[in-house]
Amino acid sequence: MQFLDDSLLPENQEKLVIQVAPFGPQYLPEDSSDIAVTMDQQIQKAVDCWNAGATVLHVHVREDDGKGSKRLSKFNEMLARLREAVPEMVLQVGGSISFAPESEGEAAEWLDDDTRHMLAQLDPKPDQVTIAINTNQMNVTELLSPADCEGTIIGRPAVFKAYKEMTIPSGPAFVEEHLRRLQTAGIQPHFMLGDVGQLESVERLIRRGHYCGPLILNWVAIGGGADGPNPRNMMEFVNRCPDGAVLTLEGLMRNCLPLNTLAIAMGLHVRVGIEDNLWRRPGERISSVEQIEQVVRIARELDRDIATGQDARRIYKLDEHYGNTDATLAKLGYPPNRKPGQRGLIPQAA
């Protein structure tokens, strides 16, 4: 991504897209007063987030007992009701479905490939499904302090161990097939990437024709197999993103707000919500709506405009799909593939 002399001036920046993850499937209702359990409560939570200024909703669903749901029928019900309640909101289904362990002592596991592929068959279809790239450690406990876990299920030793040993199953065969199914269904993949190596893998998928469309990214700085919240890591990832990408910064716990503040100042986009962060300051909880209101205040102080639902759809290029590899590389700002016999550095397409 290129920054010109005037790139930090708010009148030259794209409007701010606020992505919210308010459902936090890893937590139980007793972990936070901000957890919606019934379907009515979950829909109201989405409405509250929309009213506060969020335009992209990261969707997980709960069963009546408060645990994260793994049933696609519940997702279908949720999506149908969300289309009625927040029709302008971008609906983004979490590709993990629910990674929470069923009971203490069990592994915190993502569902198998066949089940995750079925996200392409959701009805009504979401606007996006998130996708991780490369099978990798996802030790979300690595950046957590005892205070972060206190009073939540993750503070229980057996559950903490389950999350410490969690991995993302996302090998080449799964990714290629999943991208094919999502594109066939007209659902945009939202790439959740933890480092430059994963971004390079996405570029190779594009160069080999497995994906032809907009490059919508989260840099997921959660440590434990992904980058940590080091600004040097962040800037390396930003530098390696092509100019045509749309980039959101995502952190973990109290690192979220500093990263979001950097994103707002730099013209990037933000993610908030209790799936990522429970804390305003040590010992003081913050709700998903309060996190939205917080970043809205910061954006207003910097005179950065907040995206409407229509703006978010335009910025995310939800209606775009590129016909072939050459067109995709050109749209994203990547150099074209090398032609047979071509030598030297490959200039970016005009």
Side-chain angles (χ1 to χ4, degrees):
M1 287 180 164
Q2 302 296 318
F3 289 84
L4 306 178
D5 290 342
D6 60 0
S7 292
L8 299 184
L9 303 181
E11 64 269 22
N12 296 323
Q13 293 176 335
E14 187 54 273
K15 294 181 180 181
L16 176 68
V17 176
I18 300 173
Q19 187 184 130
V20 62
F23 300 118
Q26 70 270 43
Y27 297 115
L28 294 178
E30 57 265 31
D31 293 341
S32 170
S33 61
D34 193 41
I35 291 178
V37 176
T38 69
M39 186 62 69
D40 285 347
Q41 290 171 341
Q42 292 174 80
I43 299 302
Q44 185 59 52
K45 183 65 64 180
V47 171
D48 294 342
C49 290
W50 165 261
N51 289 336
T55 47
V56 178
L57 181 70
H58 185 73
V59 178
H60 290 280
V61 188
R62 287 188 187 271
E63 296 286 352
D64 292 340
D65 64 1
K67 292 181 179 178
S69 180
K70 297 174 171 64
R71 290 193 296 147
L72 295 180
S73 60
K74 293 288 284 187
F75 280 80
N76 288 337
E77 179 186 357
M78 178 85 147
L79 290 168
R81 293 192 57 180
L82 288 170
R83 288 294 185 206
E84 293 289 330
V86 284
E88 294 186 50
M89 213 167 192
V90 175
L91 302 183
Q92 175 197 97
V93 169
S96 61
I97 305 184
S98 174
F99 46 78
E102 287 294 312
S103 61
E104 290 190 36
E106 290 188 343
E109 292 184 339
W110 292 29
L111 297 190
D112 60 33
D113 290 359
D114 289 339
T115 303
R116 287 187 290 158
H117 284 324
M118 291 178 68
L119 293 175
Q121 301 172 30
L122 289 171
D123 183 21
K125 69 181 181 182
D127 299 296
Q128 296 182 319
V129 168
T130 63
I131 180 170
I133 301 297
N134 298 340
T135 297
N136 202 35
Q137 183 72 42
M138 190 182 176
N139 173 13
V140 294
T141 70
E142 193 171 274
L143 290 181
L144 298 182
S145 69
D148 290 328
C149 303
E150 186 176 355
T152 77
I153 188 173
I154 298 178
R156 302 175 189 175
V159 177
F160 186 91
K161 181 180 178 182
Y163 279 107
K164 184 176 181 179
E165 296 298 329
M166 184 167 61
T167 58
I168 302 171
S170 197
F174 165 77
V175 168
E176 291 169 13
E177 177 62 17
H178 204 52
L179 288 174
R180 185 191 69 78
R181 295 193 190 196
L182 292 176
Q183 291 174 97
T184 299
I187 299 171
Q188 185 183 79
H190 190 119
F191 295 95
M192 311 297 273
L193 307 181
D195 56 42
V196 166
Q198 293 171 21
L199 179 62
E200 288 180 340
S201 289
V202 173
E203 180 182 350
R204 294 182 190 110
L205 287 164
I206 293 168
R207 291 190 177 280
R208 293 166 184 168
H210 295 294
Y211 178 63
C212 296
L215 188 55
I216 315 299
L217 310 171
N218 275 27
W219 176 62
V220 186
I222 60 174
D227 279 340
N230 186 320
R232 295 180 185 274
N233 294 339
M234 178 198 73
M235 284 308 305
E236 178 60 17
F237 193 92
V238 170
N239 287 339
R240 296 292 295 277
C241 284
D243 292 339
V246 177
L247 178 59
T248 295
L249 303 187
E250 178 181 341
L252 183 66
M253 294 301 182
R254 290 193 303 123
N255 285 308
C256 290
L257 184 59
L259 289 174
N260 283 335
T261 303
L262 288 169
I264 294 168
M266 294 173 63
L268 307 175
H269 304 285
V270 301
R271 171 165 146 153
V272 298
I274 63 166
E275 185 169 331
D276 302 336
N277 178 36
L278 296 174
W279 306 103
R280 182 188 301 274
R281 53 179 64 89
E284 181 182 341
R285 296 289 180 90
I286 186 170
S287 71
S288 294
V289 167
E290 289 170 333
Q291 291 178 53
I292 297 166
E293 293 170 340
Q294 194 174 54
V295 295
V296 166
R297 287 195 301 271
I298 293 170
R300 285 176 176 162
E301 286 295 326
L302 291 173
D303 293 321
R304 176 115 181 251
D305 294 330
I306 307 297
T308 65
Q310 289 183 337
D311 290 328
R313 291 177 176 279
R314 171 184 56 79
I315 291 164
Y316 274 21
K317 306 172 186 176
L318 285 174
D319 296 327
E320 296 187 21
H321 186 269
Y322 311 136
N324 55 54
T325 298
D326 290 340
T328 304
L329 293 170
K331 282 279 191 180
L332 298 180
Y334 279 123
N337 282 332
R338 187 181 299 277
K339 294 180 175 59
Q342 186 178 12
R343 295 189 177 191
L345 298 177
I346 309 298
Q348 184 172 310

